[in-house]
Amino acid sequence: MRGKRLQQIRTTADLERLRGSLLQKGDPGKILIRICNTGCRARKSAKVIEAFENEVREQGLQDKVEIKKTGCHGFCEMGPIVVIEPENIFYCRVKPEDTGDIVSETILNGGVVERLLWKDPDTKKFIKCEKDIPFYKKQKKSISFNCGRIDPTDIEDYIAGGGYSALGKALTTMTPAEVVEMVVASGLRGRGGGGFPAGIKWRLCSAAPGNIKYIIANGDEGDPGAFMDRSLMEGDPHSIIEGMIIGAFAIGARHGFIYVRQEYPIAIEHLSIAIQQAEECGLLGKDILGTGLDFTIKIDRGAGAFVCGEETALMISIEGRSGTPRSRPPYPAIEGLWGKPTVLNNVETFGNITKIFSKGADWYSSIGTDNSKGTKIFSLVGKVKNTGLVEVEMGTTLREIIFGIGGGIRKGKRFKAVQTGGPSGGCIPISRIDMPVDYDSLREAGAIMGSGGMIVMDESSCMVDLARYFIQFLLFESCGKCIPCREGLKQMHHILTNICEGRGEHGDIETLTELGRFMTTTSLCGLGGTASNPVLSTIRYFRDEYEAHIYDKKCRAGVCKNLFEYYIDEELCNGCTLCKVKCPEGAITGRKKKPHMIDPQKCIKCGICYSLCKLEAVRVR
C-alpha cells in the first residue's frame, strides 16, 4: 500500500464511487489467506508470512491467491493464526515449515491439514472453521470485527468494508447538535474506566464557550495483562480516526491527539500510516467531504507512566510537562488541554462511535443492559485455558466469559477469583461467577470495569500476595502528588509484606480497611481513589486467608514462602525420582519406585518439585 497514489475524496459521492470501484475490483474466486501480523509477531508470524509469499510465488499462484496481513484475531493462545477464505478454515500455531502443506493440501486440493486445526479438548474432535470454535462462536464481535480481517495499513481495505460511511452520514446529513444527541441516545459510556456517559461529555464540551477546542483519544493502556486498546490501534486504526472526526464535528474541534505509549511501536506505526493516508485522501485536513470542517490529528507518545492514563495527567503530558493529575472541577470538557474545552475518550470509545453512526443509536442501545449499552472487549489472561481478546455483549456472565469462551481453568484446577479492571480493580470470587458483567454490577461487587483487563486465578493463587503485588505496582506508579495515595499505598504495602512474610499482627485487617476507605474518599485522582480496591475486595471475599496468614501463620495456596512447607504424599508418589534428580538442594530422598521424602531443613521452596510432579504427589501444608 505504501507508495500507492490514493484517490482524492472530496464528497460523499466520491467516497461511494471509490467503494464501488474497490468492490468491483475484488475477485470473488480468489483464495484469501488472512494472517495476524501484529500480536502473533511474538510467535514469529512474520516468518510464516514470508514463507507463504515464497510458496505462492514458487507455485505460480499469485493470480489465484491473496495474502492479507491483518491485526489480531483474538485467540492469542493459538498463534500464529492463519485463516483461509472463502471456507473460513482456521489453522493455529502455524510454523513456516507448515506453509508448504497448507498450499498443496488446502489451496491446490481443497482439503485440510488436520494437525493444524483446532482440537476441542473435551470431544477430541478437530474443528475446521473459525466460526465453529467456541472461543469465537460465543462472542459478539462488533468493535473488533475488522481486527483479523482487514489490512490495517490499507485505507482502501477499510473503505471497501464500509469505512468512513459513518463519517459521511454524520457530516452531510446531521448538525453538530444532532450528532451529540445521537451519542446521548445511544447510551454509550466511556470505555476507559470510569464509564462516564460519552454523550453527556460531548454535550458539555459542545456548549462550553470558546472557539478553540480539542479532542483526544486515550491509547495509554497501562494495566498489566491488558492489550485491548493496543490491538484496536494496531488492527483497525481508521475506525478510531473516523470516530474522532465525528467527535470533532460535534464539539467544534480543529485539532486532535492520539496519546499512545512509546512501547506500542506497531500501534504507533499503523496509526501514523492511517493518518497519513486519511490526509492524502482528504479525509483529514481542510474542508473534509466538502463540509467546511477542518481537522487534523497528531500522535503524542507517552513515556509509559501508568498515571498518564488519568485524563488530567494525560493532558498535562501532552502540554509537555510531567504527567501528574490535577483536581477537578473544572472538568476537561470545560477547561482541558491548554485550558481549552476538551473531549477525552478512550480509543475503544471512538470505535463505538463509528458503529453508532453506521447502524444507528436504536440498534446500539438495543445491545447490552439497561445502564451498560453495546459490547465490551476484554483481555482474558491468567490461569484460563483460552487466553486472548474477547468481545461480548454487556451483561454477559463471568461464567460464560471464563468457561464458555475461555474454556475454563488450566490443568483441571478450581477457579478461585477473577481480577477485573486492572491493578486498581477488584477480585471477584467463585460465589459471583454468574453475575452479569456491566458497570453497575462490577461496582456493586467491589470491582470496576476499567479498560477491560480480566485476570483469572485458580486455587494456587494467594489472595493476600496478589493484593500485595498490585499495591506494589501502584506504589511504584503513583505520582506521589497527594498524601492519601502516596502514604496510603506505602503503609498498605508495608502491612501486606509483613503479613506475607509471617509478621502479621492482630488489627492489621482493620488498619488496611480503614486506610482503604480513607484513600477512596480523599485521593486526588481516580488512581488513588481506586488503588485500595485489590485490598478491600480480597478482605471482603477472602478474609479467612488473611486470618490464616496472621493467626495461623499459614499460606494455604503455597505462595508465601515463610508460611508453608512442601511434603510428598506417600499414597500418590510412585518413586519416579524426577523430583529428586531436579532438586537443586538435594532435599529429596528416596529409592526408585518407592515413595520419596522432602527434608524441610534443606528445602528452599523453589517449587521445582511441585511443578514437575505429574501425579501431584508434592503437596503444600
Side-chain angles (χ1 to χ4, degrees):
M1 185 65 197
R2 294 184 194 184
K4 178 179 177 181
R5 186 177 178 83
L6 295 171
Q7 186 173 320
Q8 282 285 303
I9 303 171
R10 302 184 187 283
T11 64
T12 53
D14 289 347
L15 179 64
E16 294 310 318
R17 272 195 294 274
L18 174 59
R19 196 186 329 278
S21 168
L22 293 170
L23 291 173
Q24 278 190 343
K25 284 181 186 174
D27 182 354
K30 212 168 189 178
I31 293 172
L32 177 65
I33 303 175
R34 294 192 277 120
I35 310 174
C36 174
N37 190 37
T38 54
C40 283
R41 285 197 202 180
R43 293 190 171 182
K44 301 182 179 178
S45 67
K47 294 285 185 184
V48 176
I49 292 169
E50 184 181 351
F52 265 118
E53 289 172 340
N54 291 337
E55 194 71 30
V56 167
R57 185 170 52 252
E58 287 170 8
Q59 300 218 29
L61 298 171
Q62 296 95 322
D63 294 335
K64 298 180 179 178
V65 176
E66 178 185 354
I67 298 171
K68 184 172 287 188
K69 303 173 189 176
T70 72
C72 179
H73 292 233
F75 204 171
C76 305
E77 179 78 22
M78 291 291 123
I81 289 171
V82 174
V83 178
I84 312 292
E85 301 288 10
E87 287 197 80
N88 195 235
I89 300 171
F90 181 87
Y91 288 130
C92 54
R93 292 179 178 167
V94 177
K95 298 182 177 65
E97 53 267 33
D98 297 323
T99 57
D101 289 346
I102 293 174
V103 170
S104 59
E105 189 63 32
T106 303
I107 306 297
L108 294 176
N109 295 322
V112 295
V113 184
E114 190 174 78
R115 63 183 172 82
L116 296 175
L117 296 175
W118 185 78
K119 188 178 183 181
D120 190 310
D122 297 323
T123 65
K124 309 302 180 188
K125 291 182 178 177
F126 290 101
I127 296 182
K128 177 181 173 182
C129 297
E130 181 184 40
K131 61 182 174 59
D132 295 326
I133 296 172
F135 179 84
Y136 292 109
K137 195 175 183 179
K138 298 184 177 183
Q139 293 190 50
K140 190 178 183 69
K141 281 185 173 286
S142 174
I143 311 308
S144 61
F145 181 81
N146 276 344
C147 296
R149 293 180 181 278
I150 67 168
D151 179 350
T153 65
D154 185 352
I155 190 172
E156 292 187 347
D157 209 18
Y158 180 72
I159 290 173
Y164 288 106
S165 60
L167 177 68
K169 175 183 177 182
L171 266 59
T172 61
T173 67
M174 304 174 75
T175 65
E178 288 172 337
V179 170
V180 170
E181 293 311 313
M182 188 162 174
V183 179
V184 174
S186 73
L188 171 65
R189 296 172 69 169
R191 298 301 196 245
F196 189 81
I200 301 300
K201 186 182 283 188
W202 286 28
R203 186 190 281 166
L204 287 170
C205 190
S206 176
N211 295 323
I212 300 176
K213 298 180 182 180
Y214 297 102
I215 194 159
I216 300 172
N218 184 353
D220 191 58
E221 185 175 53
D223 296 356
F227 52 104
M228 306 77 57
D229 294 346
R230 192 198 77 200
S231 292
L232 193 60
M233 291 186 285
E234 291 176 347
D236 194 13
H238 282 287
S239 69
I240 299 166
I241 293 169
E242 186 175 4
M244 289 182 70
I245 304 172
I246 293 171
F249 175 67
I251 67 167
R254 289 172 172 261
H255 302 288
F257 295 86
I258 303 176
Y259 190 86
V260 192
R261 48 182 47 216
Q262 178 69 22
E263 58 261 48
Y264 281 1
I266 301 175
I268 292 172
E269 178 191 358
H270 288 188
L271 283 167
S272 300
I273 293 169
I275 290 171
Q276 183 182 353
Q277 291 175 346
E279 289 172 343
E280 287 180 28
C281 288
L283 295 170
L284 281 174
K286 298 282 187 184
D287 193 22
I288 296 171
L289 293 178
T291 61
L293 173 66
D294 300 339
F295 182 62
T296 62
I297 295 176
K298 178 185 175 186
I299 294 173
D300 202 280
R301 304 183 187 198
F306 182 73
V307 74
C308 284
E310 196 278 339
E311 59 180 6
T312 60
L314 186 153
M315 287 185 285
I316 288 172
S317 176
I318 291 178
E319 291 173 359
R321 296 180 284 153
S322 178
T324 56
R326 65 162 173 79
S327 60
R328 298 172 300 174
Y331 291 98
I334 308 298
E335 191 174 311
L337 187 64
W338 289 298
K340 306 299 181 186
T342 303
V343 158
L344 188 149
N345 286 132
N346 174 269
V347 292
E348 187 182 336
T349 308
F350 286 112
N352 278 264
I353 293 291
T354 303
K355 292 294 179 185
I356 290 168
F357 285 85
S358 293
K359 299 188 176 183
D362 290 342
W363 168 83
Y364 188 85
S365 62
S366 69
I367 302 169
T369 65
D370 288 346
N371 294 316
S372 300
K373 302 298 185 184
T375 59
K376 179 75 188 80
I377 307 172
F378 294 96
S379 64
L380 186 62
V381 298
K383 303 293 180 64
V384 69
K385 289 178 184 174
N386 302 330
T387 58
L389 285 183
V390 303
E391 183 175 357
V392 294
E393 184 171 356
M394 288 281 194
T396 303
T397 65
L398 279 173
R399 183 187 296 278
E400 180 69 357
I401 296 172
I402 295 168
F403 288 90
I405 298 171
I409 309 304
R410 292 174 185 266
K411 299 180 180 178
K413 292 190 175 182
R414 291 193 301 274
F415 169 76
K416 187 171 189 177
V418 58
Q419 168 89 1
T420 67
S424 53
C427 291
I428 302 171
I430 191 170
S431 60
R432 293 201 167 225
I433 191 70
D434 289 310
M435 66 172 280
V437 178
D438 58 59
Y439 289 101
D440 302 325
S441 299
L442 288 172
R443 186 174 294 110
E444 188 277 327
I448 58 174
M449 181 77 75
S451 57
M454 198 172 273
I455 303 172
V456 178
M457 289 157 276
D458 65 16
E459 59 198 88
S460 66
S461 301
C462 169
M463 305 312 289
V464 184
D465 180 69
L466 184 88
R468 183 196 58 79
Y469 166 79
F470 282 124
I471 293 301
Q472 180 174 296
F473 175 87
L474 294 166
L475 174 63
F476 181 77
E477 293 290 345
S478 172
C479 71
K481 188 173 182 178
C482 78
I483 293 173
C485 178
R486 184 184 68 226
E487 296 302 321
L489 285 170
K490 192 181 295 181
Q491 291 304 314
M492 274 190 162
H493 185 256
H494 176 71
I495 295 170
L496 289 167
T497 300
N498 279 343
I499 294 174
C500 290
E501 293 182 355
R503 298 188 298 275
E505 297 177 349
H506 177 73
D508 281 350
I509 297 175
E510 289 70 25
T511 303
L512 286 170
T513 304
E514 187 178 356
L515 268 172
R517 289 172 180 164
F518 179 74
M519 291 165 60
T520 300
T521 54
T522 60
S523 292
L524 176 63
C525 75
L527 188 152
T530 56
S532 63
N533 280 344
V535 177
L536 295 179
S537 64
T538 50
I539 289 176
R540 177 178 175 182
Y541 296 117
F542 301 95
R543 189 183 182 98
D544 61 322
E545 286 199 30
Y546 279 84
E547 291 173 343
H549 279 67
I550 294 169
Y551 300 114
D552 303 333
K553 305 302 178 188
K554 294 290 183 185
C555 175
R556 292 194 291 263
V559 174
C560 301
K561 287 191 173 182
N562 292 348
L563 303 179
F564 76 93
E565 66 177 23
Y566 287 117
Y567 73 100
I568 295 178
D569 187 328
E570 292 184 2
E571 298 293 325
L572 296 175
C573 178
N574 66 356
C576 74
T577 74
L578 182 60
C579 60
K580 178 182 174 181
V581 170
K582 296 295 182 181
C583 178
E585 297 299 313
I588 299 177
T589 57
R591 289 185 297 165
K592 194 169 184 179
K593 296 185 178 179
K594 297 292 182 182
H596 284 37
M597 295 179 64
I598 298 176
D599 182 347
Q601 301 301 317
K602 292 183 178 178
C603 178
I604 59 171
K605 299 170 186 171
C606 62
I608 292 176
C609 57
Y610 183 79
S611 62
L612 287 176
C613 185
K614 295 179 180 177
L615 298 176
E616 297 188 353
V618 180
R619 298 297 184 93
V620 170
R621 63 184 173 196

